[in-house]
Amino acid sequence: MNLWVYTFRRLLYVIPVLLGVCLIIYLLFNVVAGDPTHILLGKHATAKQMAELRHELGLDRHWFMQYLDLVKSAFTFDFGRSWSTKQLISSMISEGAIPSLTLTVPGFFISTICAVSLSLLVSFYRGGLFDKFTILICISLMSIPSLAYILFGQYFFAYKLGMFEISGYDFGFPHFIPYIQLPVLIWITLTIGPDLRFYRTVVLDEVYQDYVRTARAKGLGEKLILFKHVLKNAMIPIVTYVVIQIPFLILGALLIESFFGIPGLGGITLNAINSSDFPVIRAMTILSAVAYIIFGVITDILYTVVDPRVRLN
Amino acid sequence: MSQKILEVKDLVVEFNTDRGKITAVNGVTFDVHKGRSIGIVGESGSGKSVSALAIMRLIPNPPGRIAGGTIKFNGENLPDIQMDEMRRVRGNKIAMIFQEPMTSLNPVFTVGNQIEEVLELHQTELSPKERKEKTIDMLRLVGIPSPEQRVKEYPHQLSGGMRQRVMIAIALSCEPDILIADEPTTALDVTIQAQILELMNKLQRELGMGIIMITHDLGVVAETCDEVAVMYCGQIVERADVDTLFKYPKHPYTKGLMESIPAFDSTSGKKKEKLTTIEGMVPSLFDLPAGCNFYNRCVSASDRCRESEPKLSPVEGSHEVSCFNPLSL
């Protein structure tokens, strides 16, 4: 079986998963969350007003039709309009995605590359002072809540020292660059601790394998052993960990975006939650589910590239 | 006697553990001769593998270290030379194969790639094309059928025996002077064991390297070795050429080892009914007795054995034994 057939078959599995996810989302919003007309009209709404609104929102239709609408939106990305701003949700998403990605993609790349190379380095000096010191720093970084970094960064580096913009955003390259510097730095600080610890565990799992001893017995140098033999084996868990993070990059960083006034998807989601804007929340939920499923498929396909032992049948 | 190529003298290897320091190898001395095989036999923990790893300087440090003795090779003392010089010896002049062919090869590289790697490292004069050809030649030499196909396969696509052949191909690709084989057949089926040993014998005749065969299996020794050293608790307790040792074992431990192997003695007509075992337990390396390490298990122990430690000394020609009461013929 070749890679294309495998990919196609793997994509077919997406359909039932997506249908199930849509069902759960439907139940969460329409059964658990209660009647949205109460939220929209307030306490003193008349029965007539409520009935009209229910009709307008399509809530009086058969539940199955509503479910089908939801499924349709997962495939067409047509999520209707926002209740509070009346904007098309799809255009809100495509506008918000750009600021989010300009923040998360650089942060993610720098953090991942630093964490993977540092993990190889600390594994090389495992048990030594450098290793212990790095782990100590990781744990300290992880122990401080993210809000502390944001507030400290904004107050000290941006306000006191004037090194960065305090908040705001400007569309278009390269205008956005001054605005994302501090947020990206904070993103890296937040993610490098857990990342490095995970990669270190992965690499240490490999360092004691028999094939490493064989490589030494062949006369290979430690650098080559680490960056060729060990890294390629460690790629299997690393790929999983990296790819599974990508959906979250699309959704942006909730806290960082709202504190820095970046009009990204994270901020949009947060606003929608605050104003009970159900269609927007639902759209973001569907979007993240779809992204998660798609990147799951990509992970599976990458396995076959990274690990020759994964058979395609 | 043929040319001496490796001289191990009074080798001591220590490990630091949570419970204190242990001496895994304590004053081991042996030589390797060109075109000849020396077998190092002993139970698990007797220090035979550690001795072999010490020659390659593959003892994980920490916790282990070579604490004494010399390993003379080509006029140099291996424990003293620089690491990059040692890397030029490893895989090139002295090669090693391991017990676990399943895990000793890197699972994510093709076997061809793993053989070529060692050629690229030590035989820099070869062009990429020549390396590819030599890789296929090596696979053919170790008896892998259709090597042109196999070269592109990954270790998991090969059987255990085939993988050990690949390991041998890697080890021999730079025509080393010495091949260290650490239990090369232990993880294999009996029929495959015989094939691998036969292959090693054949390659030794063709390439003329010296072999250090580490094993707990006296059958392997009988089949492949010219000379044998028996190890117990980090020391060599008896050393002789293979015929002498099997015919006239002098150390009670050696004799015990031999009697604990089932024999199909069809010629003598005598049927053994029960296998002998060596009574007692190997003493802990943390708590070795003052006298002979074998004292508490020995059938011919005397008071002297409890108090002082016997030294390895010649009894007849090259036959050496470390025992105050060696067995008579």
Side-chain angles (χ1 to χ4, degrees):
Chain A
M1 190 158 75
N2 71 40
L3 196 58
W4 296 113
V5 181
Y6 175 76
T7 309
F8 180 70
R9 261 181 47 176
R10 198 59 193 73
L11 282 173
L12 282 184
Y13 285 123
V14 168
I15 295 169
V17 176
L18 210 53
L19 290 178
V21 168
C22 285
L23 186 65
I24 293 170
I25 293 174
Y26 175 81
L27 289 175
L28 280 177
F29 278 88
N30 295 50
V31 181
V32 182
D35 193 340
T37 51
H38 287 296
I39 300 160
L40 286 176
L41 294 173
K43 281 183 195 161
H44 308 293
T46 63
K48 188 168 172 269
Q49 278 175 312
M50 281 175 64
E52 273 172 9
L53 187 65
R54 290 178 63 83
H55 180 71
E56 196 188 316
L57 298 176
L59 294 175
D60 54 348
R61 293 158 65 213
H62 190 262
W63 68 269
F64 190 70
M65 295 308 288
Q66 293 186 48
Y67 169 69
L68 277 189
D69 277 348
L70 198 116
V71 172
K72 209 178 90 192
S73 70
F75 285 95
T76 59
F77 287 97
D78 177 10
F79 301 107
R81 284 179 187 276
S82 155
W83 285 350
S84 54
T85 65
K86 308 291 176 213
Q87 268 182 295
L88 265 179
I89 295 173
S90 51
S91 63
M92 282 169 76
I93 289 175
S94 55
E95 268 168 38
I98 296 161
S100 282
L101 290 174
T102 56
L103 159 67
T104 55
V105 169
F108 172 70
F109 268 101
I110 298 171
S111 169
T112 302
I113 291 168
C114 288
V116 170
S117 13
L118 269 174
S119 72
L120 288 167
L121 215 60
V122 296
S123 315
F124 181 72
Y125 295 108
R126 59 196 167 273
L129 217 59
F130 178 65
D131 182 24
K132 284 179 184 148
F133 184 67
T134 311
I135 293 307
L136 188 77
I137 293 203
C138 280
I139 293 173
S140 322
L141 285 178
M142 287 161 73
S143 314
I144 300 169
S146 49
L147 262 177
Y149 290 111
I150 296 173
L151 294 176
F152 177 77
Q154 279 185 324
Y155 177 75
F156 190 72
F157 290 115
Y159 175 64
K160 282 279 180 189
L161 298 180
M163 292 163 71
F164 306 102
E165 297 287 338
I166 293 181
S167 77
Y169 191 79
D170 204 352
F171 279 87
F173 183 82
H175 311 298
F176 67 79
I177 290 177
Y179 295 99
I180 61 150
Q181 285 170 359
L182 187 56
V184 165
L185 220 60
I186 291 173
W187 174 285
I188 295 169
T189 320
L190 282 172
T191 51
I192 202 159
D195 282 11
L196 180 50
R197 271 167 51 91
F198 175 78
Y199 295 137
R200 178 180 174 272
T201 314
V202 165
V203 174
L204 279 184
D205 265 353
E206 296 297 331
V207 164
Y208 294 105
Q209 298 288 326
D210 286 344
Y211 70 78
V212 174
R213 188 183 56 187
T214 307
R216 290 208 181 98
K218 281 157 88 172
L220 294 178
E222 289 296 316
K223 253 182 266 160
L224 200 59
I225 292 173
L226 216 50
F227 281 93
K228 186 179 169 190
H229 288 256
V230 170
L231 186 59
K232 184 138 193 225
N233 277 280
M235 278 317 277
I236 300 155
I238 289 177
V239 159
T240 319
Y241 186 78
V242 165
V243 177
I244 233 64
Q245 289 183 70
I246 294 176
F248 297 105
L249 304 185
I250 297 166
L251 294 173
L254 289 179
L255 271 181
I256 296 183
E257 282 181 18
S258 70
F259 270 83
F260 282 93
I262 295 170
L265 292 183
I268 291 174
T269 313
L270 216 56
N271 287 338
I273 293 170
N274 284 335
S275 58
S276 297
D277 198 343
F278 275 28
V280 176
I281 305 173
R282 191 163 51 209
M284 295 307 293
T285 317
I286 294 171
L287 188 69
S288 52
V290 170
Y292 211 83
I293 294 167
I294 288 175
F295 281 98
V297 175
I298 292 176
T299 313
D300 283 352
I301 293 165
L302 279 180
Y303 277 156
T304 64
V305 179
V306 181
D307 189 352
R309 284 164 296 184
V310 176
R311 295 272 179 108
L312 292 180
N313 40 24
Chain B
M1 192 63 92
S2 56
Q3 191 195 340
K4 204 185 274 184
I5 43 180
L6 182 85
E7 238 183 299
V8 179
K9 202 156 188 282
D10 300 325
L11 181 69
V12 179
V13 181
E14 290 175 347
F15 284 87
N16 284 316
T17 70
D18 296 338
R19 289 173 54 200
K21 192 191 282 177
I22 57 165
T23 308
V25 175
N26 190 1
V28 161
T29 299
F30 63 88
D31 301 328
V32 182
H33 297 271
K34 193 174 185 330
R36 285 168 63 85
S37 302
I38 176 165
I40 300 181
V41 212
E43 293 169 71
S44 311
S46 61
K48 53 193 195 306
S49 287
V50 175
S51 308
L53 289 172
I55 296 171
M56 292 293 271
R57 287 187 50 192
L58 285 173
I59 304 274
N61 177 13
R65 67 185 191 99
I66 300 173
T70 55
I71 303 167
K72 283 263 167 59
F73 176 73
N74 272 345
E76 284 180 302
N77 183 22
L78 293 183
D80 289 339
I81 64 175
Q82 290 295 311
M83 213 23 157
D84 19 326
E85 232 176 302
M86 189 63 217
R87 287 197 192 104
R88 279 194 288 277
V89 174
R90 285 179 184 167
N92 189 19
K93 302 283 178 206
I94 307 179
M96 187 158 180
I97 56 179
F98 298 96
Q99 181 175 357
E100 292 293 339
M102 302 295 169
T103 54
S104 291
L105 290 166
N106 192 328
V108 299
F109 291 105
T110 62
V111 298
N113 201 314
Q114 298 187 52
I115 300 173
E116 268 182 60
E117 190 178 36
V118 70
L119 291 172
E120 196 179 340
L121 202 66
H122 299 299
Q123 302 201 337
T124 37
E125 71 278 5
L126 293 181
S127 71
K129 190 166 165 273
E130 287 170 322
R131 274 206 302 270
K132 282 209 165 54
E133 282 164 6
K134 180 148 189 198
T135 301
I136 293 172
D137 288 346
M138 286 312 297
L139 287 178
R140 192 175 290 124
L141 182 73
V142 296
I144 288 180
S146 53
E148 295 85 356
Q149 306 302 315
R150 293 293 181 175
V151 84
K152 293 177 224 139
E153 290 186 0
Y154 289 93
H156 72 269
Q157 290 165 295
L158 305 177
S159 66
M162 284 297 156
R163 283 184 229 184
Q164 198 59 294
R165 284 172 196 262
V166 171
M167 282 299 289
I168 295 174
I170 291 173
L172 298 186
S173 54
C174 294
E175 288 113 33
D177 298 334
I178 296 167
L179 175 67
I180 304 174
D182 187 0
E183 307 245 8
T185 56
T186 307
L188 303 175
D189 291 345
V190 181
T191 47
I192 310 297
Q193 281 185 13
Q195 289 175 15
I196 295 290
L197 293 177
E198 179 45 44
L199 173 71
M200 289 179 65
N201 278 343
K202 175 181 148 245
L203 293 175
Q204 185 181 29
R205 282 194 300 273
E206 286 171 18
L207 307 173
M209 71 260 178
I211 292 182
I212 304 174
M213 176 70 77
I214 314 277
T215 180
H216 64 263
D217 187 341
L218 286 168
V220 170
V221 170
E223 215 159 308
T224 57
C225 296
D226 303 300
E227 197 188 338
V228 200
V230 180
M231 281 189 78
Y232 188 73
C233 290
Q235 292 174 322
I236 292 180
V237 293
E238 183 165 12
R239 184 172 52 207
D241 65 78
V242 74
D243 294 332
T244 315
L245 190 96
F246 277 92
K247 263 192 214 131
Y248 314 111
K250 293 276 188 193
H251 199 285
Y253 177 63
T254 314
K255 189 152 190 287
L257 276 185
M258 284 173 189
E259 281 172 350
S260 59
I261 305 171
F264 296 96
D265 224 355
S266 54
T267 45
S268 68
K270 193 173 67 182
K271 249 194 191 162
K272 275 195 179 170
E273 292 193 341
K274 204 173 159 202
L275 277 176
T276 344
T277 52
I278 305 174
E279 292 292 325
M281 297 269 287
V282 184
S284 158
L285 287 175
F286 288 104
D287 187 26
L288 286 178
C292 177
N293 289 334
F294 193 57
Y295 171 76
N296 59 349
R297 305 172 73 185
C298 187
V299 286
S300 45
S302 62
D303 284 350
R304 191 181 169 202
C305 307
R306 192 180 58 217
E307 282 141 22
S308 54
E309 208 178 338
K311 292 271 169 278
L312 195 65
S313 45
V315 277
E316 229 183 278
S318 63
H319 193 166
E320 294 175 306
V321 66
S322 88
C323 184
F324 293 127
N325 310 310
L327 303 168
S328 48
L329 307 182

